[in-house]
Amino acid sequence: MAYVNDNYLKLKAGYLFPEIGRRVSKFAKENPQAKVIRMGIGDVTEPLPAACISAMHTAVDEMARRETFRGYGPEQGFDFLREAIARHDFQSRGAQVQADEIFVSDGSKCDTGNILDILGKSNVIAVTDPVYPVYVDTNVMAGHTGEADSGGRYAGLVYLPMTEANQFVPALPEQKVDIVYLCSPNNPTGMAASRSALEKWVDYARKNEAIIFFDAAYEAFITEADVPHSIYEIEGARECAIEFRSFSKTAGFTGTRCAFTVVPKGLTARTSTGEKVELHGLWNRRHTTKFNGVSYIVQRGAEAVYTPEGQSQVRQLVEFYLENARLMCAGLKQAGLTVYGGVNAPYVWLKTPNGLSSWDFFDQLLSKAHLVGTPGSGFGASGEGYFRLSAFNSRANVLEAIERVNKFVQG
Amino acid sequence: MAYVNDNYLKLKAGYLFPEIGRRVSKFAKENPQAKVIRMGIGDVTEPLPAACISAMHTAVDEMARRETFRGYGPEQGFDFLREAIARHDFQSRGAQVQADEIFVSDGSKCDTGNILDILGKSNVIAVTDPVYPVYVDTNVMAGHTGEADSGGRYAGLVYLPMTEANQFVPALPEQKVDIVYLCSPNNPTGMAASRSALEKWVDYARKNEAIIFFDAAYEAFITEADVPHSIYEIEGARECAIEFRSFSKTAGFTGTRCAFTVVPKGLTARTSTGEKVELHGLWNRRHTTKFNGVSYIVQRGAEAVYTPEGQSQVRQLVEFYLENARLMCAGLKQAGLTVYGGVNAPYVWLKTPNGLSSWDFFDQLLSKAHLVGTPGSGFGASGEGYFRLSAFNSRANVLEAIERVNKFVQG
């Protein structure tokens, strides 16, 4: 008699985005004339950079001729891409990351979930609150938690609140933790960790032999000099951090699929009998056993991001969304709302007016302004009373949305 | 202090293909003039079908324009592909599989490993011997085994020998098992399960509430009428089987990356307290939480496989490799070798001559005939004394290889 993984049954049924989808569909059906603007899911809207398009056409043509056809590639990614990443994303910033420490994958969502495979069951795990739900759900699936309470917090996880009260800078945990997820620039708050904040975390991790899972998917949106682009800009981070990066938001690859994870050589954790084991070797074993590499065509597209044309096109793309975010912050402030984020990230995190709950604000904004955002409480208990708007949209929609929010707040 | 997953330390260090690579590199370095023919790894050599190339060019162009750009797609795959798969691969054969039971992924290697996520720790797992190593290694990683013995067999797994003695048809297990991996047409033996053999397995699984993981990656190579293309051609299989399929060997997608897994609705397993839970829902939850869909461009390429041109081009491709396999079987038999497989699969499984061990035969074939194959013992203890040759190669190389084997056996 086959048995299921009972841990899956602890997952709460309603994942955030399907619930949003359900409410939006219902509204759209009942109000077919309403022009709904969707700023809920953080998905890009602008086309791929021309350099990527051109590189992928060339790669497709290579697949059409026997002499240039590519079968299985290295599971870890082609050297041409790993080397370009190491040089441009790390070494150019003084972060000592080598090409063979980079594992190319089809998505950071996958990597942040799969990384748990190589770690033990006894680790104490810390997440921020609010948080990207995948970190929590994958720990639930792996059996690292007990049941959820009525507020949605799972027993066994350590939650680190990020609210207005601490200016969205999570405090170091009071109890000892073994693994901590940090996302900077942050999804959902749009706030970014300063150098000194990251230094404190690296210091904490080294003292406690903890590991930081550093999610830098929104790194390209950083505008302030004080905000590190990589955790490896912090001294000592190679001993205690794994970094996740993605082409999704940088180059618009959400539907094209390419990301990478850095596992530094020398980064270790303990066996149950206390010996140190390098995580690089374990992750390499997982990656080569349970993954078969990213499409050659896509890897050539990603490589093109690092050409001079690619860099300038990506910069333009990011600037476009950042200008959206700036307009949104300014417009919402003018409407009298309290607004965070949007400076180093494509997300604006606003306080719901009049003490409305996140979902009540969602419903009112949808029904009165025909505007869709994401209720902050969907990202965790401490997100209650907040609301996320994504700057991934056309300029026209952004301007229209700002106007509607203004009318809504006034009215 | 962070802990690793100790189960990884049980994995044997030398995975088969790296060891082959090491020996071939050494030989090539010492014999730079030798023209080595590689029939070891089962990787395709011919270019992609023209229909796929054309569809991917169109898709790349769509990504270049805002109006046709695609961001996140459904994690389970686009309907256009899921519907084409359901119609062509299943319904046309009388197998009642619906589009929403198909989960598009980036590889069967990933899926056959990841499927364990949704299943419990207490299941008794059976694998054939010889076997595709990923099935075993992913169970080791998941903590479903004890240590390996000196022959490489892990404690806790049930091994079902497939040898000349049983004509490579594994017997039903003597003890009760909860999950069994079946691969047909088989990698590595190249032999395929008949309808009656599969009926016995489905009957066994239903009686024991066991689940069959049916790997049909080589389905396109079936030539005999008695061999089912899908487990769902067998009555009752929807209640007990998950099927894995791939575009890798069918359409040459090893470097392009697309596959799919069928999880029928109604297929259940038990919680630890004995309630039945549908695996479709659990897999859907895993797929949407730990995966973000296959590249839109690649899915359009896969869809083109099902167009009339695509079908005829894929047929040609498969026929080309099958003719290679036929030539190899005939040539090796003529050389006096005992040969299996090659009729419904692109693999030829030969008995090493003169009782040579698999690795001794490997070394001799490499040094004397400059030909690389895969030692059967690398696939499991019962593979000892056998050797796999892949038919994925150019015709010229195949003919040359046959000649070299002939000389080698004579000489």
Side-chain angles (χ1 to χ4, degrees):
Chain A
M1 187 188 295
Y3 288 99
V4 300
N5 175 354
D6 282 3
N7 296 305
Y8 272 64
L9 308 180
K10 297 176 195 161
L11 290 165
K12 287 178 298 162
Y15 184 63
L16 178 58
F17 294 104
E19 176 60 22
I20 292 175
R22 205 187 56 72
R23 295 195 191 199
V24 175
S25 293
K26 182 166 177 288
F27 175 80
K29 197 176 280 177
E30 290 166 7
N31 301 273
Q33 81 301 342
K35 192 199 154 224
V36 175
I37 298 180
R38 288 156 205 264
M39 298 181 137
I41 293 178
D43 194 5
V44 296
T45 53
E46 301 306 305
L48 293 186
C52 304
I53 294 290
S54 155
M56 289 198 287
H57 275 307
T58 304
V60 169
D61 281 333
E62 287 181 62
M63 299 301 262
R65 292 189 305 276
R66 192 176 206 285
E67 312 76 54
T68 51
F69 174 77
R70 304 283 187 135
Y72 290 123
E75 290 97 339
Q76 303 91 339
F78 283 98
D79 284 344
F80 63 75
L81 180 55
R82 301 172 89 190
E83 281 162 12
I85 292 169
R87 212 162 42 241
H88 289 271
D89 284 333
F90 298 100
Q91 292 161 9
S92 74
R93 297 191 180 279
Q96 290 319 308
V97 169
Q98 305 305 315
D100 64 358
E101 298 176 319
I102 289 161
F103 294 83
V104 177
S105 82
D106 63 323
S108 274
K109 187 180 174 189
C110 323
D111 287 347
T112 54
N114 291 335
I115 193 73
L116 294 176
D117 274 19
I118 63 168
L119 290 151
K121 298 286 175 205
S122 61
N123 293 304
V124 177
I125 314 265
V127 293
T128 61
D129 177 12
V131 69
Y132 176 49
V134 167
Y135 308 157
V136 172
D137 289 354
T138 52
N139 273 290
V140 176
M141 291 170 171
H144 297 170
T145 75
E147 300 287 342
D149 66 18
S150 59
R153 289 184 161 184
Y154 288 92
L157 287 187
V158 175
Y159 289 88
L160 308 172
M162 296 194 297
T163 64
E164 217 176 11
N166 60 16
Q167 286 296 296
F168 305 96
V169 179
L172 296 176
E174 286 163 24
Q175 70 178 107
K176 228 158 96 64
V177 304
D178 304 310
I179 291 169
V180 59
Y181 291 78
L182 296 177
C183 175
S184 175
N186 190 258
N187 175 16
T189 69
M191 302 291 273
S194 66
R195 173 172 298 274
S196 66
L198 290 183
E199 280 169 352
K200 274 180 208 145
W201 277 107
V202 168
D203 186 50
Y204 173 89
R206 291 172 76 188
K207 274 196 190 125
N208 292 283
E209 280 196 33
I211 293 171
I212 298 169
F213 289 164
F214 190 71
D215 185 344
Y218 296 93
E219 163 274 333
F221 294 86
I222 293 171
T223 60
E224 294 181 320
D226 179 41
V227 176
H229 288 243
S230 164
I231 187 90
Y232 304 115
E233 292 178 47
I234 309 297
E235 203 180 316
R238 286 182 55 89
E239 294 165 33
C240 62
I242 289 173
E243 183 164 307
F244 304 94
R245 289 276 193 106
S246 173
F247 294 94
S248 283
K249 310 299 161 86
T250 313
F253 270 45
T254 53
T256 303
R257 312 302 316 140
C258 198
F260 57 93
T261 289
V262 183
V263 185
K265 292 187 179 175
L267 170 63
T268 59
R270 302 268 181 181
T271 66
S272 56
T273 50
E275 293 134 81
K276 286 187 176 184
V277 178
E278 284 213 28
L279 294 182
H280 184 278
L282 298 190
W283 184 245
N284 190 59
R285 188 67 196 242
R286 192 217 174 270
H287 209 69
T288 53
T289 304
K290 295 175 85 168
F291 184 63
N292 231 334
V294 170
S295 179
Y296 172 71
I297 298 159
V298 171
Q299 290 194 60
R300 282 294 186 196
E303 181 195 22
V305 167
Y306 297 103
T307 60
E309 315 80 65
Q311 287 287 288
S312 114
Q313 290 158 3
V314 161
R315 210 51 246 160
Q316 258 182 294
L317 211 50
V318 168
E319 285 300 339
F320 173 79
Y321 294 126
L322 277 172
E323 178 63 15
N324 282 352
R326 277 189 285 270
L327 291 167
M328 287 161 65
C329 286
L332 300 177
K333 277 179 194 164
Q334 207 171 17
L337 294 170
T338 305
V339 174
Y340 295 96
V343 175
N344 298 300
Y347 294 123
V348 174
W349 186 245
L350 57 89
K351 268 191 87 168
T352 58
N354 310 321
L356 280 174
S357 80
S358 298
W359 277 110
D360 284 347
F361 185 69
F362 174 92
D363 287 332
Q364 291 194 14
L365 205 63
L366 176 59
S367 65
K368 293 185 188 155
H370 308 171
L371 181 59
V372 181
T374 316
S377 57
F379 298 102
S382 297
E384 180 57 274
Y386 295 90
F387 198 77
R388 191 188 80 174
L389 286 174
S390 153
F392 293 122
N393 221 313
S394 68
R395 186 61 45 81
N397 276 353
V398 165
L399 295 174
E400 168 85 19
I402 294 167
E403 205 170 305
R404 291 189 194 175
V405 173
N406 260 282
K407 270 197 202 142
F408 167 75
V409 172
Q410 253 87 74
Chain B
M1 187 188 294
Y3 289 98
V4 300
N5 175 354
D6 282 4
N7 296 306
Y8 272 64
L9 309 179
K10 296 176 196 161
L11 290 165
K12 287 178 297 162
Y15 184 64
L16 177 60
F17 293 105
E19 176 61 21
I20 293 175
R22 205 187 57 72
R23 296 195 191 199
V24 174
S25 293
K26 182 166 178 285
F27 175 80
K29 198 176 279 176
E30 291 167 4
N31 301 274
Q33 81 301 341
K35 193 200 154 222
V36 175
I37 298 180
R38 289 155 204 266
M39 298 182 138
I41 293 179
D43 195 4
V44 297
T45 54
E46 301 305 305
L48 293 185
C52 303
I53 294 291
S54 157
M56 288 198 287
H57 275 308
T58 304
V60 170
D61 281 333
E62 286 182 63
M63 299 300 262
R65 291 189 306 275
R66 192 178 204 285
E67 312 75 57
T68 51
F69 174 78
R70 303 284 186 135
Y72 290 122
E75 291 95 341
Q76 304 90 339
F78 284 98
D79 285 344
F80 62 75
L81 181 54
R82 300 172 89 190
E83 282 162 11
I85 291 168
R87 213 163 39 243
H88 289 270
D89 283 333
F90 298 100
Q91 293 162 8
S92 73
R93 297 192 180 280
Q96 289 320 307
V97 170
Q98 304 304 317
D100 64 359
E101 298 175 320
I102 289 161
F103 294 84
V104 177
S105 82
D106 63 323
S108 274
K109 187 181 174 188
C110 322
D111 286 347
T112 53
N114 292 333
I115 193 74
L116 294 176
D117 274 20
I118 64 169
L119 290 151
K121 298 286 174 204
S122 61
N123 293 304
V124 177
I125 314 265
V127 294
T128 61
D129 177 11
V131 69
Y132 176 49
V134 167
Y135 307 157
V136 172
D137 289 356
T138 53
N139 273 290
V140 176
M141 290 171 172
H144 296 170
T145 74
E147 301 286 342
D149 65 20
S150 60
R153 289 183 162 185
Y154 288 92
L157 288 187
V158 175
Y159 289 89
L160 308 172
M162 297 194 296
T163 64
E164 217 177 10
N166 60 16
Q167 285 296 296
F168 306 96
V169 179
L172 296 177
E174 286 164 23
Q175 69 178 110
K176 227 159 96 66
V177 304
D178 304 310
I179 291 170
V180 60
Y181 291 78
L182 296 177
C183 175
S184 174
N186 190 257
N187 176 15
T189 68
M191 301 291 274
S194 67
R195 173 172 297 273
S196 66
L198 289 183
E199 281 169 354
K200 274 180 207 149
W201 277 107
V202 167
D203 186 51
Y204 173 89
R206 292 171 74 187
K207 274 195 191 128
N208 293 283
E209 280 194 34
I211 294 171
I212 298 169
F213 290 165
F214 190 72
D215 185 345
Y218 296 93
E219 162 274 334
F221 294 86
I222 294 171
T223 60
E224 293 181 321
D226 180 40
V227 176
H229 289 244
S230 164
I231 188 91
Y232 305 115
E233 292 177 46
I234 308 297
E235 203 181 316
R238 285 181 56 89
E239 294 165 34
C240 63
I242 289 174
E243 183 164 307
F244 304 95
R245 289 277 192 106
S246 173
F247 294 94
S248 283
K249 309 299 161 85
T250 313
F253 269 45
T254 53
T256 304
R257 313 301 315 139
C258 199
F260 58 93
T261 289
V262 183
V263 185
K265 292 187 179 174
L267 170 62
T268 60
R270 301 268 182 181
T271 67
S272 55
T273 50
E275 293 132 84
K276 287 187 176 184
V277 178
E278 284 213 28
L279 295 183
H280 185 277
L282 298 189
W283 184 245
N284 190 57
R285 188 66 196 245
R286 193 218 173 268
H287 209 70
T288 54
T289 303
K290 296 175 85 168
F291 184 62
N292 231 335
V294 171
S295 179
Y296 172 70
I297 299 159
V298 171
Q299 290 193 61
R300 282 295 186 197
E303 181 195 24
V305 166
Y306 298 102
T307 60
E309 315 80 64
Q311 287 287 290
S312 114
Q313 291 158 4
V314 161
R315 210 52 246 160
Q316 258 181 293
L317 211 51
V318 168
E319 285 300 339
F320 172 79
Y321 294 127
L322 277 172
E323 178 63 15
N324 281 351
R326 277 189 285 269
L327 290 167
M328 287 161 66
C329 287
L332 300 177
K333 277 179 195 163
Q334 205 169 19
L337 294 170
T338 305
V339 174
Y340 295 96
V343 175
N344 297 301
Y347 294 123
V348 173
W349 187 245
L350 57 89
K351 268 191 88 166
T352 58
N354 311 318
L356 280 175
S357 80
S358 297
W359 276 110
D360 283 348
F361 184 70
F362 174 91
D363 288 332
Q364 291 193 14
L365 205 63
L366 176 58
S367 64
K368 293 186 187 151
H370 308 170
L371 182 59
V372 180
T374 315
S377 57
F379 296 101
S382 297
E384 181 57 274
Y386 295 89
F387 198 76
R388 191 189 80 174
L389 287 174
S390 153
F392 293 122
N393 222 311
S394 67
R395 186 60 45 80
N397 275 352
V398 165
L399 296 173
E400 168 84 21
I402 294 167
E403 206 170 304
R404 290 189 193 175
V405 174
N406 260 283
K407 271 197 202 142
F408 167 75
V409 173
Q410 252 88 75

